[in-house]
Amino acid sequence: MNQIAIVVLAAGIAKRMGESKQLLPWGDSTLLGSVIKNALSTDADIFFVVLGAYKNEIEQKIDFSNTIVVINENWQQGLGSSIASITAEIDKKYPNINAMLFVLADQPFISSSHLNTMLKLHKKETEAIIITKKQDYKGVPVLFPRKYFSELMLLSNDEGAKEIIFRNKSQVVEVVTQDNTADIDTYKMYETLHKIFTREIE
């Protein structure tokens, strides 16, 4: 049986913020909790969360009961190492997973409906790398089919999988989103986006 996994990448130290941004308040939850909730409401088959920095603090405060938590011991090396470690884990232990949809823990406005659009498209475009597009933005969330797992396992830097996407441009399909694709790198950005979020739900 072919399965699609959603992988929430949440191992970073947030050095520009100086604290665990994964646990910043967001609605009735936290930033990471909100992203996990969105992921769980999609049509994906299995859900992973990659932790690293602040893992003990995060595990105490967030409900992971419907997800599989994988620890990236090399989280200091950046995003690429998280992608490599989870890909190796899935490649080795989950042979039925034929695609991974990567989601960032600090993109709180990405909706489950956008993720579902990407999941549905994969069923038609089974060999394509599927990326998110909005105006000048192209990037995460991004879906990789299994044929790219060997390349993903070689990543180690903080650039994520951009090089793999660039090398395989002819295999890339874009999904335009209306969602806000902003990610949260600084406390000021968190405050700005949290105000927008609060206005939207009032």
Side-chain angles (χ1 to χ4, degrees):
M1 184 181 120
N2 288 335
Q3 294 183 316
I4 308 176
I6 286 184
V7 176
V8 179
L9 297 167
I13 196 167
K15 55 180 176 255
R16 290 171 65 189
M17 193 167 287
E19 62 179 294
S20 168
K21 64 181 169 184
Q22 298 93 325
L23 294 175
L24 288 170
W26 197 266
D28 58 1
S29 181
T30 59
L31 205 52
L32 177 55
S34 173
V35 170
I36 290 172
K37 184 179 176 185
N38 277 344
L40 289 171
S41 61
T42 68
D43 299 326
D45 301 293
I46 187 164
F47 305 89
F48 295 86
V49 181
V50 183
L51 297 181
Y54 312 112
K55 65 182 179 185
N56 295 336
E57 187 183 351
I58 292 169
E59 284 183 314
Q60 287 171 13
K61 295 181 179 176
I62 289 185
D63 177 11
F64 292 109
S65 55
N66 294 307
T67 67
I68 297 164
V69 174
V70 174
I71 306 300
N72 173 21
E73 301 293 352
N74 300 313
W75 56 265
Q76 299 96 328
Q77 294 177 17
L79 188 63
S81 70
S82 285
I83 295 171
S85 68
I86 186 62
T87 305
E89 180 87 359
I90 287 173
D91 186 60
K92 183 178 171 186
K93 296 183 181 175
Y94 300 89
N96 290 334
I97 291 176
N98 69 333
M100 295 181 293
L101 175 52
F102 289 104
V103 178
L104 297 178
D106 62 353
Q107 274 185 315
F109 291 103
I110 296 295
S111 64
S112 54
S113 62
H114 173 64
L115 299 178
N116 270 336
T117 299
M118 298 181 78
L119 296 171
K120 281 179 192 155
L121 183 56
H122 168 69
K123 291 178 179 175
K124 294 179 190 169
E125 303 268 1
T126 55
E127 299 294 295
I129 298 171
I130 301 172
I131 69 171
T132 298
K133 175 176 168 58
K134 183 173 185 180
Q135 294 158 346
D136 294 336
Y137 177 85
K138 291 182 183 181
V140 192
V142 58
L143 182 146
F144 286 95
R146 181 170 272 277
K147 69 186 267 190
Y148 295 101
F149 283 15
S150 58
E151 290 181 71
L152 292 167
M153 283 189 274
L154 297 175
L155 294 174
S156 62
N157 58 24
D158 203 28
E159 277 298 294
K162 288 178 187 171
E163 283 180 26
I164 297 172
I165 294 168
F166 185 75
R167 277 201 305 270
N168 297 280
K169 281 188 289 193
S170 64
Q171 300 297 310
V172 173
V173 177
E174 298 171 352
V175 175
V176 176
T177 185
Q178 300 307 312
D179 296 342
N180 186 336
T181 56
D183 60 6
I184 294 172
D185 281 335
T186 63
Y187 199 80
K188 187 174 181 182
M189 177 64 85
Y190 163 69
E191 289 179 321
T192 301
L193 292 178
H194 192 257
K195 281 176 188 168
I196 294 170
F197 172 72
T198 306
R199 283 201 300 270
E200 285 181 359
I201 61 172
E202 279 175 353

